[in-house]
Amino acid sequence: MKPVIFGLSGPVLSADERAFFAEARPAGYILFKRNVETREQLRVLTDSLRALEGRDDVAILIDQEGGRVARLGPREWPSFPAGPAFDALYERAPMSGIEAARANAHALGLMLAEVGVTVNCLPLLDVARADTTEAIASRAYGREPMRVAAMGRATLEGLRAGGVVGVVKHMPGHGRALADSHHHLPTVTASAEELEDDLAPFRALGGAPMGMTSHIVYNAWDAERPATLSPVVIEQVIRGRIGFDGLLMTDDIDMKALSGTPAEKASGAIAAGCDVVLDCWARMDEMQAIAAALPEIAPRSRERLDAAMTSVDEPAGNFAALIAKRDALLALA
């Protein structure tokens, strides 16, 4: 097994993808809108990935946060709110905000499990600030660390009850970045003492099954390398100060914050201490180069992957009742 999660080019596996994936044996797959048409089509696609791997616990990821980040949507699936909706409710009634976040995530989990998706890249534990880039501010749970942690925990619990693994992101915190790492490499100049606020939600949820790095330079820890490529940030901050021992994946390796070829970036991330690399764009030449450059997945990383995939409950709950509960609570805001 190679320590990489690959994207797919379309709504069905192509013959080339089928042959390549069977040989490379990636650690998982990630889905986007280009892979989605209907419930029936998506279930066939995810079943084909399980058949290819010969096992049921394949990591099949999606970014289904709600709001602007949603791969499944109308008319086939309902819309879901993003983090700020729960932040607004928490401001008025904290326990209601937490319960609404849990019900929302539980419903999300049921919806994803129905079509064979096993991992959702949620919750964001980034602590927003007045000048946080809109790419994060429009998705975050708020500006107070323990509020973010409380709603993040509820989201992880809801996803687990729906049968889906959650991913905490973007470690060790994207809230101070003033640029969007999809397009630029942000640099955070805050002191290590100031960054304690950013670490707090991740530390509170240090037992999460999966986590995702940020492509950000933190001068206080490593002024030369972004977190994804920094053994200092990964080993001393994420594994050490945060205490996270789950499966650590990169954010999309193709984001413009990182420089070099996809294979170079993937190799650098694994060498720095990430367990797996996330490569989203399904470009066959790049996937082949990444697979050729990477070693087999490390035994400890495979243990973390297996532990994460067995950490969820059997999907249970009433989707309509959960949506109704969430909406009733959000109406209080």
Side-chain angles (χ1 to χ4, degrees):
M1 178 183 286
K2 293 286 185 174
V4 60
I5 294 166
F6 283 133
L8 314 174
S9 61
V12 297
L13 274 178
S14 70
D16 286 347
E17 286 173 334
R18 189 180 296 276
F20 169 68
F21 293 147
E23 180 180 0
R25 296 183 61 246
Y29 305 90
I30 185 164
L31 305 177
F32 290 86
K33 286 185 177 181
R34 64 179 181 266
N35 308 120
V36 174
E37 293 176 345
T38 66
R39 284 177 169 81
E40 294 75 15
Q41 166 270 325
L42 187 51
R43 184 72 208 205
V44 169
L45 176 60
T46 59
D47 283 347
S48 71
L49 294 171
R50 277 180 280 276
L52 182 65
E53 296 288 337
R55 54 192 176 89
D56 291 334
D57 63 341
V58 181
I60 302 175
L61 287 68
I62 202 165
D63 285 298
Q64 191 71 19
E65 298 176 11
R68 63 187 287 175
V69 181
R71 315 310 184 196
L72 312 183
R75 304 175 179 172
E76 191 76 5
W77 292 275
S79 297
F80 282 75
F86 304 100
D87 180 33
L89 176 56
Y90 188 104
E91 186 68 24
R92 183 178 179 88
M95 290 307 299
S96 294
I98 293 169
E99 284 305 308
R102 182 180 287 109
N104 181 72
H106 192 169
L108 270 174
L110 292 176
M111 185 179 82
L112 296 175
E114 178 189 32
V115 292
V117 175
T118 55
V119 180
N120 192 16
C121 298
L122 188 71
L124 276 78
L125 298 186
D126 305 311
V127 180
R129 300 181 179 277
D131 53 0
T132 296
T133 176
E134 180 65 14
I136 296 297
S138 62
R139 301 152 61 196
Y141 288 117
R143 300 186 183 185
E144 199 282 312
M146 289 302 99
R147 177 184 305 199
V148 172
M151 288 191 284
R153 185 182 303 280
T155 297
L156 283 177
E157 292 170 351
L159 289 172
R160 184 175 67 237
V164 171
V165 181
V167 181
V168 295
K169 60 186 187 183
H170 304 82
M171 304 177 85
H174 208 305
R176 293 182 189 267
L178 306 184
D180 182 351
S181 56
H182 289 87
H183 307 292
H184 308 282
L185 175 60
T187 297
V188 168
T189 59
S191 68
E193 182 178 22
E194 291 170 327
L195 287 166
E196 284 297 311
D197 277 354
D198 302 72
L199 299 186
F202 293 103
R203 187 179 286 125
L205 274 67
M210 292 186 178
M212 180 183 291
T213 64
S214 59
H215 301 330
I216 297 173
V217 172
Y218 301 87
N219 283 348
W221 298 317
D222 188 340
E224 302 299 323
R225 295 165 292 194
T228 298
L229 301 176
S230 171
V232 175
V233 174
I234 291 172
E235 294 304 322
Q236 296 184 19
V237 180
I238 295 176
R239 298 297 190 194
R241 293 171 71 176
I242 290 174
F244 177 73
D245 194 37
L247 183 85
L248 185 65
M249 69 183 73
T250 72
D251 206 340
D252 180 15
I253 208 72
D254 192 59
M255 289 163 63
K256 304 312 177 189
L258 304 183
S259 59
T261 69
E264 289 168 345
K265 292 184 282 187
S267 296
I270 296 299
C274 292
D275 291 306
V276 296
V277 171
L278 187 60
D279 178 64
C280 296
W281 292 94
R283 301 181 183 112
M284 183 56 71
D285 58 338
E286 294 179 1
M287 292 193 296
Q288 289 171 334
I290 289 170
L294 292 180
E296 288 295 296
I297 192 169
R300 183 69 185 106
S301 297
R302 180 61 191 267
E303 290 173 2
R304 289 170 174 145
L305 173 62
D306 291 343
M309 297 312 298
T310 58
S311 68
V312 297
D313 302 330
E314 284 295 315
N318 184 293
F319 180 84
L322 289 163
I323 293 295
K325 177 180 180 179
R326 179 204 68 193
D327 290 348
L329 290 168
L330 288 177
L332 302 173

